[in-house]
């Protein structure tokens, strides 16, 4: 029995069941628009398809075809990724153009039956982790209007957290695919660099960028990754990656976390408590938890905005910086303008230092299956950002900024509500190519912690687990929610 | 029966036989010094160990130990690689220091029983392919005093070509380990990047540098590589590489060469004829020869000196450039000073362009086992360099400058004398890690072509070939020399 559409959680499996039972995709598009209208936040989308356009696309799908893995699935696209016929603004009106073609990844998702419903707001040029640096307004955080929505993929995270679409595309260079997931209580998958083609994406740092995926569940995010991944000869940074099914989670994975001295929470004790509780859950599930000094990773993280990589952001918008600097958000412009004093010698010195730091991090990564960190050290409020637009933003990147520079993949998963009601989140991190390994572990953790699905009021559906979680005292209390 | 030392070709196997027969290493050291004295070229070495020091080192070896693969082998070291107790100048007196420790690779060779006899001349800071940009004079080309010795590893190539030592270390960033091999009729092996640690090496372009090996035979060069290769955690660019024995050469390798339209000889018809004759030899030996447009490789090659990578050379000697620019060779200084106008944005744009060009070259590399090119398009005379210090140097890098930027390994092998008596040479090129593949093919070619060993008047010794060369008309004439 399929519940009425208005009660249906928009996960891929729930929608597939509805379609198999005869629901029409046009109905789902209407419900998605109705949910968006109910949220009443004009800052989520920069461009939204009309209901007529969505109906036409739904009709064009023809009869239900379960062989197309995303048949009839509405999704949202961060507005630095091209969707044919829609404007791409990167949150800068003077930069805008209308895309003639879908980005490579959007085309693959469309071929699998998915329907892009619009282009979501972002920190301009994907520079920022707060979601407030946009002339198109600030999307409200889906859970708490006082805190920032997170960025740069602000609109994509919020629209998924409200259950309006089952998934949305973001991008991730410093943490833009993970920080907004943590702030809105959802899943954020930053795939291995090169797994998702950057053809049709406005670059931030070309050597470090990836499209990212927001979803309510780990299974959905990983499904979208498997559908979207393909080698793209036209993108020089594309790499062939496995598109295998999610593996069975290891029963006793080695998981490495920062030691007490190198954990950073900026005084947020609730965040510290949630992180330790999550590690306890992992240990009770069989993981061997190692604690190490995280300094080498923080040293890498600092290079992203203090070092030569700012020049990549400058290179991406060089024409605009030189001809129409006033059209750029003043905070964004001030950050990117730092590249003007950097020489090519500085750039290579940065590459050398990164190579040395990679070597310093390598023994830690070799000795473990994955890292586990808090996704964010603490929250930032909109009021704090009004007072200081830089520091709270920098703080949010504490546990994300090193990941792309070290060629790692990462998955942010909700851990449930903290004792103060704000969403908890941890991120699993592993070497490039291990996306499936961290997805399996992330799914297992959400089954144990049963977090609410974003702001939907629904909990993580019970998923078949090929490696059952051992029963323990703390499990018993949670098992009832599965 | 061991011939008198003065008649002994200084190959590794010949010296091993001599040692096994009771020759003392001190005698070999004396003979090496005698051969050097007979050549009478004070520009080969910047620093030479005294005969007393060499005798002491020889005595310290103890009784002959065949388990040490380079027991008693004298070798020369390019003077941008540290040898403990000797000065390192990089051919710039104001840069000089006395090395406290051996470079990582020198230490490995010494541990295997080899004895460094001195530090060889080079184009200052390894910038140049001619061998004339040094305040320590110009080593005479071992075969023809009118032509340049080649660089930047000039002294190391000349000393091997004269049969003074069985091998010498060079370095290779643009072709410094291959061009001088071609100009002196010997073997030049540029290993995969990272196979030989750069610890204790003066950098040219840290992301592209490698130590290289000169020898009279391919077998000797490969032997030295196997002994020297090891992962070095202290060098951020070191990579674990196989140290396996040379494989059996493929009976029908796919070999790709430039097509007629994209071959460049600057009018040197003898070089063109030698190259085509070599390809014919390869085809008669069973190779399938493909000819392709080489433009993408030339596009890469141009980036090395026209693009941002000059900034790496600047970074290596920044202090000197800023405090004592007059102490730098004027041609070298003019080349490296071009980095001063390059921004970090330029550097990243260079990296993007290289990524695009790697993609353009990839289909050619994927479709073949190896490339084969002339090592040099033509010769350069010292008189030509006096008139124009830049153009003949640039021309020499035509077939070498793209190799390191594309992360390939390469082996320059002599093909015998051209019809005008100058040495012919071709280079085999393959992806990183395929050093053994090109070595096997290079050894097979030298067995077919029987080139003279440098300037020694001796021919390549007959080596056991696990895949016998098929008999053909052109083989018959050559077979007598094996």
């Amino acid at each position: 029995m399929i519940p009425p559409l208005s009660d249906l959680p928009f996960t891929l499996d729930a929608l597939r069941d509805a379609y198999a039972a005869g629901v029409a995709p046009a109905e789902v598009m209407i419900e998605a628009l109705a949910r968006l209208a109910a949220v009443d936040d004009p800052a989520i989308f920069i461009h939204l398809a009309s209901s007529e356009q969505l109906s036409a696309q739904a009709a064009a799908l023809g009869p239900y075809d379960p062989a197309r893995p995303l048949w009839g699935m509405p999704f949202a696209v961060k507005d630095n990724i091209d969707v044919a016929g829609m404007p791409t603004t990167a949150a800068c009106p003077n930069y805008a153009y209308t895309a003639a073609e879908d980005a490579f990844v959007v085309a693959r998702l469309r071929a699998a039956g998915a329907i892009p419903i619009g282009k979501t707001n972002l920190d301009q040029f994907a520079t920022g982790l707060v979601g407030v640096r946009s002339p198109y307004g600030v999307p409200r955080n889906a859970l708490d209007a006082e805190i920032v929505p997170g960025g740069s993929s602000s609109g994509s995270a919020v629209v998924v957290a409200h259950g309006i679409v089952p998934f949305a595309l973001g991008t991730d260079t410093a943490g833009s695919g993970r920080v907004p997931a943590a702030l809105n209580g959802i899943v954020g998958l930053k795939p291995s660099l090169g797994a998702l083609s950057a053809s049709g994406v406005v670059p931030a740092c070309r050597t470090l960028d990836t499209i990212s995926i927001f979803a309510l569940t780990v299974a959905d995010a990983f499904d979208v990754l498997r559908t979207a991944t393909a080698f793209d000869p036209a993108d020089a940074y594309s790499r062939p990656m496995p598109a295998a099914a999610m593996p069975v989670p290891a029963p006793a994975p080695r998981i490495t976390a920062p030691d007490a001295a190198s954990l950073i929470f900026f005084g947020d004790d609730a965040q510290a408590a949630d992180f330790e509780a999550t590690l306890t859950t992992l240990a009770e599930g069989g993981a061997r938890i190692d604690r190490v000094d995280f300094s080498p990773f923080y040293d890498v993280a600092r290079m992203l905005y203090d070092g030569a990589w700012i020049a990549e952001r400058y290179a991406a918008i060089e024409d605009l910086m030189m001809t129409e600097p006033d059209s750029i958000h003043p905070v964004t412009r001030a950050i990117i303008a730092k590249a003007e004093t950097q020489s090519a010698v500085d750039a290579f010195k940065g590459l050398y230092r990164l190579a040395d730091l990679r070597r310093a991090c390598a023994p830690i990564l070799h000795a473990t299956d994955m890292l586990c960190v808090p996704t964010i050290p603490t929250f930032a409020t909109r009021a704090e950002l009004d007072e200081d637009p830089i520091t709270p933003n920098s703080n949010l990147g504490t546990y994300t900024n090193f990941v792309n520079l070290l060629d790692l993949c990462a998955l942010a998963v909700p851990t449930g509500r903290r004792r103060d009601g704000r969403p908890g989140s941890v991120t699993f991190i592993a070497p490039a190519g291990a996306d499936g390994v961290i997805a399996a572990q992330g799914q297992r953790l959400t089954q144990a912690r049963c977090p609410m699905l974003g702001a939907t009021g629904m909990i993580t559906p019970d998923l078949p687990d090929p490696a059952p979680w051992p029963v323990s005292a703390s499990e018993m209390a949670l098992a009832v929610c599965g």
Side-chain angles (χ1 to χ4, degrees), chain A:
Chain A
M1 185 65 189
I2 299 297
L5 265 191
S6 57
D7 293 343
L8 192 75
F10 273 12
T11 63
L12 294 180
D13 273 343
L15 283 165
R16 283 174 189 137
D17 287 347
Y19 286 135
V23 169
E27 298 174 76
V28 170
M29 299 303 136
I30 290 165
E31 172 63 18
L33 293 178
R35 293 183 185 190
L36 178 63
V39 168
D40 189 25
D41 182 352
I44 294 176
F45 280 96
I46 293 176
H47 175 86
L48 188 67
S50 68
S51 55
E52 293 74 18
Q53 290 170 325
L54 293 177
S55 297
Q57 286 188 72
L61 285 174
Y64 179 51
D65 179 3
R68 297 173 74 186
L70 298 175
W71 191 94
M73 302 299 168
F75 72 108
V77 180
K78 186 178 181 178
D79 198 19
N80 59 350
I81 303 171
D82 288 347
V83 175
M86 293 187 186
T88 300
T89 70
C92 179
N94 287 38
Y95 182 85
Y97 59 91
T98 297
E101 292 182 8
D102 284 337
F104 182 94
V105 163
V106 171
R108 282 189 65 85
L109 297 174
R110 206 196 283 270
I115 296 175
I117 70 165
K119 306 294 293 294
T120 55
N121 206 348
L122 66 152
D123 285 309
Q124 192 177 74
F125 297 118
T127 298
L129 293 170
V130 284
V132 307
R133 297 171 180 169
S134 168
Y136 296 99
V138 180
R140 279 197 313 277
N141 184 291
L143 297 168
D144 181 344
E146 284 192 12
I147 60 179
V148 296
S152 62
S153 315
S154 52
S156 284
V158 168
V159 74
V160 167
H162 283 301
I164 294 167
V165 290
F167 71 92
L169 298 183
T171 59
D172 189 309
T173 305
S176 292
R178 291 162 278 159
V179 167
L183 286 162
N184 293 279
I186 61 171
V187 169
L189 173 56
K190 185 218 86 68
S192 299
L193 295 182
L196 296 181
S197 164
S199 292
V201 180
V202 178
C205 300
R206 268 192 75 191
T207 64
L208 305 176
D209 296 337
T210 178
I211 287 180
S212 70
I213 300 161
F214 296 101
L216 292 173
T217 70
V218 175
D220 284 0
F222 195 72
D223 242 23
V224 173
L225 173 63
R226 287 184 65 200
T227 304
T229 190
F231 179 69
D232 174 11
D235 169 18
Y237 293 95
S238 175
R239 296 191 288 190
M241 289 280 172
M246 198 188 298
V248 173
R254 294 165 300 174
I255 298 181
T256 296
D259 61 18
S262 60
L263 273 170
I264 297 172
F265 292 110
F266 299 104
D268 187 337
D269 293 337
Q271 193 74 345
D274 184 75
F275 183 62
E276 294 302 331
T278 302
L279 292 182
T280 299
T281 302
L282 292 167
E284 288 173 353
R288 287 178 288 159
I289 309 291
D290 287 321
R291 309 298 289 255
V292 302
D293 176 11
F294 243 55
S295 304
F297 297 101
Y298 300 141
D299 288 344
V300 174
R302 271 188 287 276
M303 300 193 74
L304 194 59
Y305 283 98
D306 293 348
W309 279 266
I310 281 289
E312 294 208 78
R313 297 180 188 269
Y314 193 102
I317 58 166
E318 187 171 22
D319 287 349
L320 206 63
M321 285 291 284
M322 296 177 76
T323 59
E324 302 178 87
D326 292 343
S327 71
I328 302 171
H329 190 288
V331 175
T332 310
R333 189 176 67 231
I335 292 166
I336 296 179
K338 289 197 295 180
E340 289 166 357
T341 60
Q342 299 258 354
S343 69
V345 172
D346 294 329
F348 279 102
K349 285 181 179 174
L351 292 173
Y352 302 155
R353 178 159 161 74
L354 175 59
D356 286 335
L357 288 173
R358 281 187 171 189
R359 199 44 64 84
C361 294
I364 299 172
L365 292 165
H366 284 154
T368 194
D369 293 316
M370 67 195 76
L371 307 178
C372 182
V373 296
T375 305
I376 55 175
T378 186
F379 290 80
T381 66
R382 294 186 57 170
E384 285 166 346
L385 261 294
D386 287 343
E387 281 197 21
D388 176 354
I390 299 293
T391 309
N393 185 99
S394 299
N395 292 350
L396 284 172
T398 301
Y399 296 111
T400 59
N401 283 354
F402 59 86
V403 169
N404 300 39
L405 284 163
L406 292 174
D407 194 16
L408 307 169
C409 58
L411 175 73
V413 291
T415 57
R417 294 292 183 268
R418 314 193 314 177
R419 62 193 184 207
D420 62 356
R422 285 184 173 168
S425 175
V426 297
T427 292
F428 295 105
I429 300 168
D435 307 70
V437 173
I438 55 174
Q441 191 59 39
Q443 177 165 309
R444 196 149 181 254
L445 179 65
T446 57
Q447 285 170 267
R449 302 281 292 196
C450 301
M452 307 292 275
L453 299 178
T456 65
M458 295 176 283
I459 57 165
T460 301
D462 194 16
L463 294 161
D465 186 343
W469 204 267
V471 174
S472 78
S474 69
E475 290 304 306
M476 292 298 284
L478 291 161
V480 298
C481 73

